[in-house]
Amino acid sequence: MKKTHIKTDLPGPKARELLARDALVDSPSYPRDYPFVMSHGKGAEVWDVDGNRFLDFAAGIAVCSTGHSHPAVVQAIKDAADRFLHISSDYWHEGQVRLAERMNELSPMKVPVMSFFAQSGTESVEAALKLARYVTGRGRFIGFLGGFHGRTMGSLAFTSSKYTQQKGFFPTMAGVTHVPYPNGYRPLFAGADQGRAVLRYIEDVLFVHNVPPSEVAAILVEPIQGEGGYLVPPDGFLSGLRELCDRHGILLIFDEVQSGIGRTGKMFAAQHWGVEPDIMTLAKGLGSGMPIGIMVAKRSIMQKWSRGAHGNTFGGNPLCCAAALATLDLVEREYCANAGKVGDYFMKKLQRLAGKYPVVGEVRGKGLMIGMELVTDPVSKTPAKKLCDALITRAFHKGLILLSCGQSTVRFMPPLMITEADVDEALELLEATLIEVLVSERPPVSRGVAAG
Ligand code: PLP
C-alpha cells in the first residue's frame, strides 16, 4: 500500500507556532531552506510536528548514516549513559581507546595511525591543520576552490564553496592558497584531463611564481568534493597529489568528513583510488547523529606533538564513542556494501531521468553521495539556480527532504540503510516535483499572435 506523505499545509499549525517562537530567540544565521520542524524519525522516514511524513534523502546533512534512531545505536548510547556521561579527555576510558583501535584497523593508511577526538568536522580539520604546522614547522597550506571544511577561523580559511561563508569574516587564518578542483563538466583548463592540469598548475605556476613549496605544510582536499557540487575527481588526481606532496615534503590531508564512513560504498572515499593520506578528518556519519569528529594521523606524525600541544574538554565523549562503535559495526557489516549497491541502482535511474529532461546537465557521484546538476540548457550549461532552489522547496512540500550543493546541484545523501524501494519512492516524488517546477518556471508563451 502506498504511504501518504503530506496531510496539512506546510508548515502546519504546530510547526508555524514553533517557527514563530524560534524567530525571536534562535540565530538567523543558519542557512535553512524550508520549514521542516521535526518530531521523530525511523530509518529513512521522518515526521514533522503536524504528523506529516517525509522521506529523508539528506540525513541531517549526511550524518544519520545508519538511519534515524537505529535500535543498536540507541541501545549503545543508553548503555553508555547508564555508566557515565562525561569525564573529559584529560582522563581515559575504554570506549575512546576501543574507537581509536578501530580506527587503526579500518584506516586507509597502511601504517599504524593514532586518533585525536573532537565534536565536529570543523574541529577535526582545525586539529589536522595544527598538527601539520606543528610537525612540519611550515606555515602555508593549499586548499581548493569549491571546498568546504567548516566555519571556524582555520577551516573557514579553506572553505570556498560560496562567498557568503566568507563575507564579513575577513581576515581568517593566513597562508592558504586556493587552486581549482578538477571539474570535467566545467573544465577551467585546456585538455581532457582536468586532474593533471590542476597538478601542473600547482607545480608549474603556483610553485614557480608565488608559493615556495618548502613553506607548504599540507594540502587539504576532499577526495570527493561535497558542498562544492559533489564533484568526483578524475582517476590519477589524488595519486598525483600524493606524488607531488612526497616530492616536496608536504603532508596530504584528506577531509573525509562528508565522504567517509561508508557513504560512497567504501569505508573512505579515497579507497576508490587506493591513495593514502598522511592525515584524515572524520565526523558526520561517524556517530549516526551524535556529535563526534576524529582527526586520524599516521602514528609517525601524531607522535611528534607533545603533551599539551592540543586538547579539548569534550573530545572522546563516552556516549559519542559508543554511538560511533555501534555505527562502525553496522556500516562495516552491512551498510557500506548497501550504499554501493543501492547507490548504483539510484545512479542508473537518475541517468535515465537525465535522458528525459535536458535540464539535468550531469549526474555524478559514488555510492550514496550523488549529485544532479541542473542547467538552463545543455549547451551553455548555465547553472539553473532558481530551478534548483524551487525543486528543493517543492520536493519538501511533496514529502521529500533534499538539499542542494554547488550552484545548482541537487544532492542525494540518504541514510546508508535505504532500500531500492525507498529509491523508487524518492524518484517518483522527484520526477513529479521536477515536472511541476519546469511548468511553473517556464517563461510565459507570448499571446496575441494568431496562429497561422
Ligand atoms: N569538512 C567537510 C568535507 C564537510 O562537508 C563539513 C560540513 O559540511 C565540514 C568539514 C564541517 O563539519 P561541521 O559542520 O561538523 O563542522
Side-chain angles (χ1 to χ4, degrees):
M1 196 184 65
K2 229 174 157 172
K3 292 179 185 165
T4 53
H5 285 273
I6 306 302
K7 301 189 291 192
T8 69
D9 283 344
L10 291 179
K14 288 189 184 153
R16 274 205 304 277
E17 197 238 309
L18 221 114
L19 292 167
R21 282 166 53 199
D22 173 276
L24 298 175
V25 291
D26 253 347
S27 166
S29 62
Y30 296 112
R32 291 161 162 172
D33 285 337
Y34 46 81
F36 174 63
V37 181
M38 182 146 175
S39 155
H40 61 283
K42 196 90 214 122
E45 294 172 296
V46 289
W47 285 263
D48 76 0
V49 285
D50 294 292
N52 297 305
R53 170 184 171 264
F54 300 80
L55 205 53
D56 184 4
F57 269 47
I61 329 182
V63 167
C64 303
S65 48
T66 56
H68 290 275
S69 296
H70 192 292
V73 178
V74 171
Q75 193 57 51
I77 296 167
K78 282 182 177 164
D79 291 346
D82 279 341
R83 290 192 294 272
F84 60 106
L85 296 178
H86 172 76
I87 184 61
S88 98
S89 53
D90 280 4
Y91 302 94
W92 289 259
H93 68 90
E94 165 122 38
Q96 182 172 342
V97 177
R98 273 180 55 210
L99 186 49
E101 286 170 348
R102 201 69 190 279
M103 281 297 137
N104 190 36
E105 288 158 23
L106 291 173
S107 127
M109 288 90 125
K110 291 196 187 81
V111 294
V113 300
M114 298 178 109
S115 289
F116 177 88
F117 288 82
Q119 293 79 244
S120 62
T122 198
E123 287 166 285
S124 307
V125 172
E126 295 290 335
L129 301 177
K130 285 181 74 175
L131 180 66
R133 270 198 176 159
Y134 193 95
V135 303
T136 61
R138 302 175 177 188
R140 294 180 190 261
F141 291 90
I142 292 174
F144 288 84
L145 291 168
F148 189 92
H149 301 281
R151 292 179 159 100
T152 50
M153 287 300 184
S155 66
L156 181 63
F158 292 82
T159 288
S160 68
S161 58
K162 293 184 181 73
Y163 74 79
T164 42
Q165 293 142 355
Q166 293 285 336
K167 196 167 176 229
F169 300 113
F170 188 77
T172 53
M173 187 184 98
V176 179
T177 301
H178 289 86
V179 298
Y181 195 88
N183 182 346
Y185 185 63
R186 297 181 181 283
L188 280 180
F189 299 97
D193 189 343
Q194 293 296 297
R196 210 176 131 69
V198 170
L199 294 167
R200 289 201 57 187
Y201 172 77
I202 297 173
E203 192 88 59
D204 300 347
V205 180
L206 198 65
F207 284 172
V208 171
H209 295 289
N210 184 235
V211 175
S214 60
E215 289 185 6
V216 178
I219 295 180
L220 172 61
V221 65
E222 293 162 273
I224 294 179
Q225 198 174 72
E227 178 75 20
Y230 273 28
L231 297 177
V232 181
D235 292 348
F237 175 62
L238 295 178
S239 56
L241 277 180
R242 179 71 273 175
E243 279 164 29
L244 185 140
C245 284
D246 290 344
R247 218 171 320 116
H248 296 286
I250 296 170
L251 297 176
L252 183 58
I253 307 172
F254 283 166
D255 183 343
E256 295 256 15
V257 164
Q258 188 156 171
S259 57
I261 317 297
R263 173 137 303 274
T264 66
K266 298 229 184 247
M267 187 55 82
F268 306 105
Q271 289 174 320
H272 287 283
W273 295 276
V275 183
E276 291 179 51
D278 298 300
I279 303 174
M280 175 174 71
T281 55
L282 301 171
K284 287 198 184 281
L286 176 61
S288 286
M290 293 296 281
I292 181 165
I294 306 186
M295 183 270 285
V296 178
K298 290 178 175 169
R299 190 190 285 160
S300 56
I301 295 171
M302 190 87 92
Q303 265 177 338
K304 285 192 182 145
W305 64 5
S306 49
R307 184 178 179 278
H310 196 40
N312 52 27
T313 301
F314 287 114
N317 172 272
L319 276 59
C320 296
C321 287
L325 285 164
T327 300
L328 289 172
D329 282 347
L330 291 163
V331 171
E332 215 187 347
R333 202 182 313 138
E334 194 179 346
Y335 295 155
C336 184
N338 190 61
K341 182 176 125 314
V342 179
D344 284 349
Y345 176 81
F346 195 5
M347 184 83 98
K348 282 195 192 106
K349 292 250 166 158
L350 284 171
Q351 300 285 12
R352 226 175 283 164
L353 200 75
K356 265 169 87 177
Y357 301 95
V359 285
V360 179
E362 191 179 52
V363 176
R364 55 186 175 244
K366 284 202 182 286
L368 288 172
M369 185 172 184
I370 303 178
M372 181 177 88
E373 182 159 346
L374 300 177
V375 291
T376 56
D377 69 273
V379 179
S380 76
K381 295 184 186 173
T382 306
K385 195 171 161 16
K386 254 180 75 187
L387 189 86
C388 181
D389 292 349
L391 182 85
I392 301 283
T393 309
R394 280 189 190 231
F396 162 68
H397 283 86
K398 283 205 178 302
L400 178 62
I401 300 272
L402 295 173
L403 286 173
S404 63
C405 61
Q407 286 198 67
S408 61
T409 299
V410 181
R411 61 172 147 168
F412 304 98
M413 45 183 166
L416 308 182
M417 38 57 70
I418 59 160
T419 61
E420 293 182 356
D422 293 325
V423 169
D424 290 341
E425 189 183 345
L427 279 163
E428 208 178 294
L429 295 170
L430 180 75
E431 185 165 7
T433 311
L434 185 61
I435 292 168
E436 239 181 65
V437 171
L438 284 172
V439 170
S440 67
E441 298 285 316
R442 187 178 291 157
V445 181
S446 66
R447 289 164 195 267
V449 181

